[in-house]
Amino acid sequence: MKLVHLIITLYILVKIGICILTEYALHGDGKIGRFGKKTRIPRIIIYILIAVVPCLGAYLPNGTAKFLCMKWGNVWLGFFIYYGGLLLILSGASCLIALSRKGVSRKVIRKNLIGHSCIVAICAGLIINGYGLYHAQQPKVVNYSIDISEGEERHLKIVLIADLHLSVNSCPETTEKMAAMVNECNPDIVLVGGDIFTSTYEGLENPDRYAAALSTIQAKYGVYAVAGNHDVEEDLFGGFAVSPYTEAFRTKEIEDFFEKSGFNMLYDTSVPIGDTGITLVGRIDAEKAGDGTKNRLSADELLNGIEGTKIVLEHEPLDYKALSEAGADLVLSGHTHNGQIAPGNLVVPFFNENGYGLKELYGMKTVVTAGVGYYGAPIRVGTDSEITVIDLTY
């Protein structure tokens, strides 16, 4: 079974479980229970309709209906993550409290506590999701100082942005704000670390406005970018691809958008950065090359024969040991979002050598930015949308 099909199956099973638990809570909570009995049938119908919206967003053909389902299905997923999680935790705690009580009907206590847990979970889910929706649109600047000099010291200010994830839940005002903030940093060079889109160009409203905003970014040595695993056309369920990578292609519209945005795209290619003595190397994404394959050059092939300081821009934080052995001095990536939604930020370090921030690996400096955008649920909780500024001494 494909991973996405397993995820959809689990989603359906969890939805059923949470629906049953919600009904149990409403049934056992006094006045709420009496009201709940009268509205049970229409409530369950509405719940089912809302629950299938993300699935429709994944499987409907391209068009207004599909993109609306994607947009609001993602918002629903953001609420459901916290409502469902909190309901399970609080209901479990209610059962433990009931078991510990003596002299009072444990069944009555359990039903009342679970009923109250349901109300708390709904309110908390709405509050957290509302905060996450707002917070995701508030990019901040994060600064790092990196010294890789071995003699004469020179300096380069790099601004790294990644994971814009332009799609159905994007806000053009946020992209315009981000572009202005990047320019305020007065960068020598701007690097874009992939996932500029979220697997659809057609679903982005008014793409020209986004391209116009991105084209205002200015830097002494220009703006360079690599593509990420989502810079292709494919169907998604909550951020997970429904179709295989063999059906994921980067379209002419996406490439034209990059050009209009002023991005110099690097596909397993290198370019000298002005007269700095630094060579910038941009890698094809390891997961999706954009042509229905995973084909890309190895680290050795990519860096062979390049002299001086070498900066590698790669969307996913991978292949660090090979890059170090091939002579890379600094590797810049995105992709992880630093987990995006708590407690995801606590999990990311277990699956990546560098899941976020500045870290030295194999004698080589690496930086992973949390990214500016989001995918799946359009929220950020416990993480920030960030613009990463690197003051490099070399």
Side-chain angles (χ1 to χ4, degrees):
M1 179 182 289
K2 289 172 55 176
L3 176 60
V4 68
H5 294 152
L6 177 61
I7 291 171
I8 292 174
T9 300
L10 291 174
Y11 167 79
I12 292 171
L13 292 175
V14 170
K15 285 287 187 183
I16 292 172
I18 295 299
C19 181
I20 292 171
L21 186 56
T22 300
E23 288 305 310
Y24 178 83
L26 293 175
H27 178 70
D29 191 75
K31 294 180 181 179
I32 297 174
R34 288 192 290 273
F35 173 76
K37 289 179 181 179
K38 298 178 181 179
T39 61
R40 178 172 297 167
I41 299 300
R43 187 173 63 248
I44 291 177
I45 292 173
I46 292 172
Y47 185 90
I48 291 172
L49 291 174
I50 293 174
V52 301
V53 166
C55 300
L56 294 175
Y59 291 105
L60 284 174
N62 281 359
T64 302
K66 176 187 181 71
F67 299 134
L68 283 174
C69 287
M70 288 174 63
K71 180 176 182 176
W72 294 109
N74 287 337
V75 173
W76 161 253
L77 287 173
F79 167 75
F80 180 74
I81 287 169
Y82 286 104
Y83 167 66
L86 287 170
L87 181 60
L88 288 172
I89 293 170
L90 294 174
S91 296
S94 298
C95 290
L96 291 176
I97 292 172
L99 289 172
S100 68
R101 298 296 295 269
K102 295 181 180 179
V104 185
S105 170
R106 292 177 179 175
K107 185 176 181 180
V108 171
I109 293 175
R110 185 172 68 249
K111 282 191 173 184
N112 285 335
L113 286 177
I114 292 176
H116 295 152
S117 297
C118 179
I119 301 304
V120 171
I122 290 173
C123 293
L126 290 172
I127 292 171
I128 294 172
N129 200 47
Y131 161 78
L133 288 166
Y134 171 80
H135 184 61
Q137 309 302 327
Q138 311 303 316
K140 61 180 290 188
V141 176
V142 175
N143 293 276
Y144 298 111
S145 294
I146 298 177
D147 189 341
I148 56 174
S149 63
E150 296 180 352
E152 179 185 357
E153 293 186 356
R154 302 177 69 181
H155 299 274
L156 184 76
K157 179 181 278 190
I158 303 168
V159 169
L160 172 66
I161 56 176
D163 302 289
L164 279 65
H165 281 285
L166 303 179
S167 188
V168 294
N169 294 106
S170 297
C171 297
E173 293 83 3
T174 302
T175 301
E176 291 163 350
K177 180 196 299 185
M178 178 208 69
M181 291 174 67
V182 169
N183 287 334
E184 288 172 4
C185 296
N186 193 27
D188 291 318
I189 188 169
V190 174
L191 303 180
V192 185
D195 275 4
I196 297 153
F197 285 94
T198 307
S199 303
T200 177
Y201 174 85
E202 191 176 337
L204 181 66
E205 292 186 15
N206 198 0
D208 287 343
R209 181 175 176 183
Y210 290 92
L214 294 171
S215 69
T216 64
I217 295 176
Q218 301 293 319
K220 181 179 179 180
Y221 298 113
V223 181
Y224 291 86
V226 294
N229 57 301
H230 286 295
D231 289 319
V232 293
E233 284 286 346
E234 61 184 350
D235 291 322
L236 298 179
F237 172 82
F240 295 92
V242 173
S243 53
Y245 72 89
T246 54
E247 298 176 11
F249 292 89
R250 195 152 32 255
T251 64
K252 184 179 184 300
E253 289 80 8
I254 291 176
E255 294 286 6
D256 287 346
F257 180 92
F258 294 160
E259 184 177 350
K260 291 176 183 177
S261 299
F263 296 166
N264 298 291
M265 300 302 299
L266 300 175
Y267 297 118
D268 274 0
T269 52
S270 60
V271 61
I273 301 177
D275 58 355
T276 64
I278 297 175
T279 298
L280 174 65
V281 181
R283 298 196 80 179
I284 288 174
D285 182 68
E287 188 178 340
K288 291 165 188 167
D291 59 359
T293 74
K294 294 185 178 183
N295 298 336
R296 69 174 186 168
L297 297 179
S298 68
D300 282 333
E301 292 171 323
L302 200 58
L303 296 172
N304 184 44
I306 298 177
E307 302 294 334
T309 303
K310 295 174 279 294
I311 298 176
V312 176
L313 181 62
E314 174 166 13
H315 175 61
E316 300 186 39
L318 301 170
D319 216 17
Y320 284 137
K321 185 176 182 180
L323 287 168
S324 175
E325 292 174 348
D329 298 291
L330 172 63
V331 180
L332 308 177
S333 302
H335 185 66
T336 68
H337 299 213
N338 190 23
Q340 184 175 320
I341 304 172
N345 53 321
L346 303 178
V347 176
V348 162
F350 293 99
F351 294 93
N352 299 274
E353 288 187 291
N354 182 3
Y356 171 69
L358 170 62
K359 190 173 183 179
E360 183 169 327
L361 294 167
Y362 309 106
M364 175 184 68
K365 302 292 187 181
T366 71
V367 175
V368 178
T369 180
V372 181
Y374 37 78
Y375 82 111
I379 62 175
R380 277 192 178 264
V381 178
T383 65
D384 297 310
S385 297
E386 86 176 34
I387 296 163
T388 303
V389 178
I390 301 168
D391 289 306
L392 179 66
T393 302
Y394 66 100

